[in-house]
Structures are given as C-alpha cells and as structure tokens.
C-alpha cells in the first residue's frame, strides 16, 4: 500500500467507525445476535433512545411551578403564567405551552418526570458538566469512557457488531465510547453506505490482506472491513421500512424519523443517541426556548405514534436530559444563566411509574441561588441499565449507586 493511500484510508476509517478493536463477526448468522437481544416481554428486544438537550435547558420554565409565588418573584418578566396556556400536570406543576405532544403522552401514562436531578458539587461549565453526564462519573472524576460505551464493553460480548449503539449524527459522543467497544455515528444510512463505497475500501473489504497481527496496518484493514460490513447491513435494513408518519421538518425531526425507520426495519441496535442543541438561553429566552421545546415535544410525540403503529413503543424507552438547568432568578437580558439541578423526562409505552416521580426542588431553600439536587442522575442510569437493558450497573457505573426500584 502506498503511504498516501494508507493515510487516506486511516482518516476514512477513523471517521466512519470509531472502534478501538476489530469485532470479529463479519459473517455471523443474523439470528445469533437476535437471540441474545430477546430479553423483553413478547420475545422482543428492549432499546434505549437518549435525547441530549445541549446548552442547559431551563427546567423551571419547562416543568413550571405555576402556583408558587417565589417562582414569580424570581422571574418577574420571564415566568410563565396560566394565561399563557400552561398545560397542567398537577395542582402545582404544568408543562410549557409548546409541549402539547408530551402532555398527550403524560395523560396516556407514557411520560414520567423526574424533578431536581443532578449530582454533588455540580459544575456549570457546558463541557465539563456534559462530560460528567455522558461518562456517568462523579464531579471529582475524569473518565475517558462513556456510560453507554462501558455498557457495550461489559454486555455486548461474543462478536456483537458495531451497530449495537448508533448515534444519529456525524460524530460520536463520549457517552458511546468504551474501552473496547464504541458505538457507530451516522447521519443517514444511505449516505453512510455511500461513503464506504470508496474503491480502496471496497478492495480491502473483499480481499484477504496479510499484515503482522496487532500492527497498525492489520488494525486498519480490519476496521475498514467492519465499517463496510456495518454500512451494508444498515443500508439494506433501512430500505425495508419507510415511515409515513409526520415529523417536524427540522434536523432533530429528521433524526427521529431515521431512528424510527431503523427500529421499524428490524435493525438490531440496543441504543440510539440524538441531540437537540441551542438551549443556552442567556438572552431573550422566551421565544428560543418555546421553539426548541416545541421541536422536542412534537418530535417525540411523532416518534411515539410511529412506534405504536408498529408495536415497538412498549419495547422502547426514551431518556431526555440536559447537562444542567438554569439559575432560579432571571438575568437582566430576559434570559437565565447556568444553574445546576434540572428535570429529566422518561417516555415509553411500558413505564411502571408514569407521572411525576418526585417533588420539585424547594424554591425557599436554594444553594447560592441554585436548586438543590434531590436525585443523582446515576441512580437513573443504574435503574435503566439493570431493569431495562438487563446489564450489571455496578460493572458500568461502579459500586454504591442506589437504584430507583420499579421505575421501568
């Protein structure tokens, strides 16, 4: 191989398939993985969809304490009122008016709200706090692997393919990076497949190349062969089902539609990861947050309806989080600044505990102007890993994390 070809192929492989080791399963029977995944009622595999709200969504104006005078005192112009069309969840809490789709799911027992979720010694940096949430670490730890990547490391053994976890994006987040296995990032199965049709890559995938075991060249050949195999599989499966559901005509809506099409086509993936960004609302929060929450709500309602139609919604759990909430008091620019604890949403057709799972944080007992967290986000992770994905949460998160019994 010429040096230029090697460098070009190396760059292509690192872009397409971000895995540290080759997964020896190119020609495995397709039903072999399916047998390992059949752990849900009705002999169907359970899957997790994670939706990351980038920028720090303002939880107080998402799940609104509309009967609390302290809320209106802290936000004289930013607070939302009943006259704005709030969507009541209880006598004390209401959804943002833009979230009618999620209100419908709440009324059907398919939405759970976790209030005041966070972690000790919170960090208000976007990058550091997102690393904490994606890695599942404590604030005093720095981990190079993600919680879902370690799930892949510890659970998906025996030649499981790279598409066990898919991020519907061009790059792979820390959350899906393990020490031995990574997820796979792709925006669109057709475009991803097209990228792998590089002439040299096709040649490598089809021919037997001899290279010293463990060498960079050996790793490159094997990685590219797995890339091509995964791309072929996903492209072929994606042609089985084309969704007729109506999703928001946004990037996030299109990514949700791609996710539903892959699920409904029978793709054998346990985890999907998506992001909706733009929530860093320091200035003019009202309009921006309403637009984003509308995209989130309409998109997830469309996803639920789509998967209900194909009888896959009961086997699907959606986790919605943001790296932190916002400060209780509004700032001088009709926005909010970086805060700490926040709400987390869970959606599924099989929730054991729908509705409001705990009380909101007290607005009379703040921590230097911020909400005090009541629920460690790692407890949610531990419950999802154990009770939904059938994994050993201690192998993924370490010991000492208390699970939430009977959540899913």
């Amino acid at each position: 191989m010429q040096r230029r070809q090697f460098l070009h192929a190396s760059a292509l492989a690192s872009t397409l398939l971000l895995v540290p080791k080759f997964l020896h399963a190119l020609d495995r029977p397709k039903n072999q993985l399916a047998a390992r995944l059949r752990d849900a009622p009705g002999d169907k595999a359970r899957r997790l969809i994670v939706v990351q709200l980038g920028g720090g969504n303002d939880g107080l104006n998402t799940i609104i304490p509309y009967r609390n005078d302290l809320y209106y005192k802290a936000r004289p112009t930013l607070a939302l009122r009943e006259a704005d069309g709030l969507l009541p969840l209880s006598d004390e809490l209401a959804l943002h008016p833009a979230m009618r789709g999620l209100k419908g799911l709440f009324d059907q027992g398919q939405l759970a709200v976790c209030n005041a979720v966070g972690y000790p010694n919170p960090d208000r940096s976007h990058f550091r706090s997102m690393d904490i949430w994606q890695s599942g670490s404590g604030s005093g730890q720095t981990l190079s692997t993600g919680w879902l990547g370690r799930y892949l490391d510890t659970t998906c053994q025996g030649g499981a393919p790279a598409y066990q976890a898919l991020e519907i994006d061009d790059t792979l987040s820390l959350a899906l990076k393990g020490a031995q296995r990574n997820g796979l990032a792709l925006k669109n199965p057709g475009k991803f497949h097209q990228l792998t049709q590089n002439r040299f890559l096709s040649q490598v995938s089809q021919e037997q190349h001899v290279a010293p075991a463990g060498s960079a060249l050996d790793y490159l050949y094997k990685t590219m062969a797995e890339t091509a195999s995964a791309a072929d599989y996903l492209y072929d499966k994606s042609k089985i089902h084309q969704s007729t559901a109506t999703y928001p005509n946004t990037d996030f809506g299109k990514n949700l539609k791609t996710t539903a099409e892959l699920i409904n086509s029978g793709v054998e993936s346990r985890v999907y990861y998506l992001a909706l960004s733009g929530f860093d609302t320091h200035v003019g929060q009202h309009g921006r947050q309403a637009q984003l929450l509308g995209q989130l709500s309409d998109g997830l309602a469309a996803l639920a309806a789509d998967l209900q139609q194909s009888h896959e919604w009961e086997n699907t759990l959606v986790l919605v989080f943001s790296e932190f909430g916002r400060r209780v008091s509004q700032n001088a620019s009709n926005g909010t600044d970086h805060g700490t604890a926040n709400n987390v949403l869970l959606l599924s057709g099989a929730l054991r505990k729908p509705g409001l799972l705990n009380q909101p944080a007290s607005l009379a007992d703040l921590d230097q102007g911020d909400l005090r967290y009541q629920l460690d986000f790692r407890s949610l992770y531990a419950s999802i890993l154990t009770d939904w994905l059938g994994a050993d949460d201690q192998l993924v998160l370490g010991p000492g994390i208390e699970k939430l019994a009977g959540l899913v």
Side-chain angles (χ1 to χ4, degrees):
M1 179 192 297
Q2 294 181 358
R3 181 175 182 275
R4 186 174 65 177
Q5 286 180 306
F6 180 86
L7 293 175
H8 175 74
S10 298
L12 180 62
S14 64
T15 300
L16 296 178
L17 185 60
L18 303 167
V19 292
K21 292 183 179 180
F22 178 61
L23 309 177
H24 303 275
L26 296 183
D27 297 317
R28 63 175 178 81
K30 290 188 177 181
N31 62 357
Q32 181 180 346
L33 177 61
R36 288 200 299 275
L37 299 184
R38 288 171 182 164
D39 53 12
D43 205 33
K44 285 190 175 183
R46 285 174 170 172
R47 68 188 64 84
L48 171 67
I49 300 175
V50 179
V51 176
Q52 169 187 301
L53 306 182
N57 177 47
D58 179 19
L60 269 180
N61 272 23
T62 302
I63 309 295
I64 301 155
Y66 68 104
R67 296 286 176 84
N68 193 320
D69 291 340
L70 294 176
Y71 165 70
Y72 294 103
K73 183 178 180 180
R75 300 181 170 201
T77 61
L78 197 60
L80 294 167
R81 306 173 186 274
E82 289 187 74
D84 295 318
L86 300 184
L87 306 170
L89 303 178
S90 71
D91 291 339
E92 298 180 356
L93 298 176
L95 270 176
H96 189 287
M99 304 180 76
R100 292 191 176 277
L102 288 190
K103 176 60 163 61
L105 293 176
F106 183 89
D107 292 342
Q108 297 170 45
Q110 298 175 16
L111 171 64
V113 178
C114 303
N115 290 298
V117 183
Y119 54 89
N121 303 313
D123 196 297
R124 293 185 183 86
S125 161
H126 288 296
F127 302 105
R128 177 59 188 141
S129 189
M130 188 61 79
D131 278 353
I132 290 169
W133 277 83
Q134 290 193 0
S135 66
S137 72
S139 60
Q141 295 175 287
T142 301
L143 301 180
S144 60
T145 58
W147 73 286
L148 293 169
R150 295 194 300 278
Y151 157 74
L152 297 176
D153 284 343
T154 58
T155 306
C156 300
Q157 302 297 327
Y163 47 80
Q164 280 281 276
L166 298 177
E167 181 155 5
I168 311 302
D169 206 337
D170 294 322
T171 58
L172 196 69
S173 299
L174 172 63
L176 273 67
K177 295 180 180 179
Q180 299 171 327
R181 297 177 181 278
N182 283 7
L184 185 65
L186 72 154
K187 191 73 171 176
N188 176 282
K191 292 180 180 178
F192 178 65
H193 181 260
Q194 187 177 12
L195 284 173
T196 65
Q197 300 311 295
N198 170 278
R199 185 178 63 179
F200 175 71
L201 182 58
S202 298
Q203 180 183 358
V204 169
S205 303
Q206 296 170 9
E207 296 181 7
Q208 180 68 37
H209 290 268
V210 178
S215 67
L217 188 59
D218 179 57
Y219 165 77
L220 177 62
Y221 283 146
K222 291 176 177 179
T223 299
M224 290 193 299
E226 176 69 6
T227 299
S229 176
D232 287 345
Y233 169 81
L234 291 170
Y235 178 61
D236 289 342
K237 295 292 277 188
S238 70
K239 292 184 290 186
I240 295 175
H241 178 87
Q242 298 295 312
S243 176
T244 58
T246 301
Y247 286 83
N249 189 26
T250 62
D251 193 53
F252 179 66
K254 293 173 184 176
N255 290 345
L256 284 171
K257 184 176 182 180
T258 296
T259 301
E261 288 179 340
L262 290 171
I263 291 171
N264 289 332
S265 295
V267 169
E268 300 164 347
S269 299
R270 301 301 304 272
V271 176
Y272 294 84
Y273 202 92
L274 300 89
L276 176 61
S277 299
F279 286 92
D280 197 16
T281 51
H282 291 279
V283 178
Q285 176 175 300
H286 264 313
R288 181 60 175 162
Q289 190 190 30
Q291 179 188 39
L292 290 169
L293 291 180
Q295 289 184 33
L296 175 70
S297 177
D298 293 347
L300 291 179
L303 176 77
D306 203 351
L307 295 183
Q308 285 172 354
Q309 186 71 23
S310 58
H311 306 289
E312 293 289 353
W313 184 229
E314 289 190 353
N315 305 306
T316 302
L317 175 67
V318 181
L319 166 71
V320 183
F321 81 97
S322 194
E323 70 263 37
F324 46 62
R326 316 294 291 190
R327 299 205 32 107
V328 173
S329 295
Q330 69 178 68
N331 61 26
S333 302
N334 285 319
T336 50
D337 298 322
H338 299 178
T340 54
N342 207 353
N343 39 57
V344 169
L345 306 180
L346 297 171
L347 299 86
S348 177
L351 290 178
R352 296 174 64 183
K353 290 184 178 180
L356 300 170
L357 299 186
N358 60 338
Q359 291 297 313
S362 172
L363 295 182
D365 181 23
L366 302 180
D367 181 8
Q368 300 180 8
D370 285 318
L371 299 174
R372 296 184 184 275
Y373 91 96
Q374 299 177 11
L375 176 61
D376 194 311
F377 75 98
R378 291 167 294 183
S379 293
L380 287 175
Y381 287 0
S383 301
I384 291 169
L385 287 165
T386 302
D387 298 334
W388 189 258
L389 293 175
D392 186 332
D393 65 290
Q394 294 193 40
L395 291 178
V396 177
L397 301 173
I401 305 299
E402 184 178 357
K403 294 189 288 291
L404 303 177
L407 183 62
V408 290

